[in-house]
Amino acid sequence: SYVLTQPPSVSVAPGKTARITCGGNNIGSKSVHWYQQKPGQAPVLVIYYDSDRPSGIPERFSGSNSGNTATLTISRVEAGDEADYYCQVWDSSSDQGVFGGGTKLTVL
Amino acid sequence: QLQLQESGPGLVKPSETLSLTCTVSGGSISSSSYYWGWIRQPPGKGLEWIGSIYYSGSTYYNPSLKSRVTISVDTSKNQFSLKLSSVTAADTAVYYCARLHNPHKTTSGYYFDYWGQGTLVTVSS
């Protein structure tokens, strides 16, 4: 089955840029979606189709996808961005939803 | 505004069957534009997709759970349900229901745009 690999943790100072990667075999050929999950809450979609933002998600959140790596970029990081972030694809070869292992973003 | 709400027992004994229902409000489960799915999250761990269903009853399951999982839909009640048999402590998790969307209708474009709040199910005697 398809595997998505994320770093367990990323740390960034307030006001700086955070980049969270999601690795997968030829992931650039798939659509990648990203979710933010704060403690005790359900995940929230922050990026879909690699780089689209749902309404209500700040422009500071952006995404890219090429080759074997997709990236979620959070600009001008705020304390409120501290959360777990998950990438997700739909593996059409096996008709399965697949999540990455998640990355804990810490704002220093 | 679409809302999803999970319901069911919070405690299940080992070897028994976990049963949860997701009630959809603010929209029709019979819309041809969406699938509906279940995702779980063990305490302190990541998200795991369990399976998804279309209003017609067509299903997709996680191969690692397929032998124990049944997902069904009741369009008259605007609900879909999860049954997981022969549970063990490893099935203890927060279970979420969610809507699966793919407006571009690409083969790999499905994403979860609305989620329920989640319900904790503990497997213990």
Side-chain angles (χ1 to χ4, degrees):
Chain A
S1 61
Y2 195 75
V3 176
L4 295 174
T5 302
Q6 297 183 237
S9 63
V10 167
S11 298
V12 63
K16 300 298 186 183
T17 298
R19 294 179 178 85
I20 299 172
T21 59
C22 177
N25 184 35
N26 197 26
I27 197 173
S29 67
K30 301 181 183 299
S31 295
V32 179
H33 320 293
W34 292 91
Y35 304 86
Q36 175 194 69
Q37 186 182 34
K38 296 183 178 180
Q41 298 183 19
V44 172
L45 180 71
V46 294
I47 292 288
Y48 63 103
Y49 289 138
D50 297 339
S51 59
D52 290 346
R53 269 179 293 103
S55 60
I57 300 300
E59 291 183 9
R60 300 184 296 103
F61 287 79
S62 62
S64 62
N65 183 19
S66 179
N68 292 317
T69 304
T71 303
L72 171 69
T73 301
I74 309 172
S75 304
R76 302 180 300 283
V77 167
E78 303 173 357
D81 298 331
E82 191 162 279
D84 294 325
Y85 291 85
Y86 294 89
C87 58
Q88 177 252 316
V89 301
W90 185 266
D91 182 17
S92 56
S93 65
S94 57
D95 282 325
Q96 293 181 60
V98 181
F99 288 96
T103 298
K104 181 176 180 58
L105 177 67
T106 299
V107 181
L108 301 171
Chain B
Q1 176 77 342
L2 189 78
Q3 292 187 322
L4 295 89
Q5 179 67 59
E6 305 88 352
S7 60
L11 181 64
V12 181
K13 290 183 168 54
S15 80
E16 295 189 345
T17 296
L18 178 160
S19 296
L20 295 174
T21 295
C22 182
T23 301
V24 179
S25 58
S28 174
I29 203 169
S30 299
S31 170
S32 60
S33 299
Y34 311 109
Y35 275 77
W36 305 89
W38 289 97
I39 301 101
R40 71 179 182 178
Q41 184 173 36
K45 296 189 178 181
L47 301 170
E48 179 181 32
W49 173 76
I50 299 171
S52 296
I53 190 165
Y54 197 51
Y55 77 94
S56 63
S58 174
T59 53
Y60 299 109
Y61 296 138
N62 187 323
S64 69
L65 299 170
K66 187 173 184 177
S67 63
R68 299 194 292 130
V69 171
T70 302
I71 297 176
S72 58
V73 63
D74 186 336
T75 55
S76 67
K77 295 182 179 178
N78 228 32
Q79 296 176 334
F80 61 105
S81 298
L82 168 70
K83 291 188 184 299
L84 181 65
S85 64
S86 305
V87 298
T88 68
D91 295 309
T92 293
V94 175
Y95 285 77
Y96 295 99
C97 60
R99 189 178 80 172
L100 202 55
H101 195 25
N102 182 11
H104 291 182
K105 300 195 186 306
T106 57
T107 55
S108 66
Y110 290 96
Y111 58 89
F112 300 94
D113 59 351
Y114 284 91
W115 296 65
Q117 66 185 25
T119 186
L120 174 63
V121 179
T122 301
V123 179
S124 176
S125 55

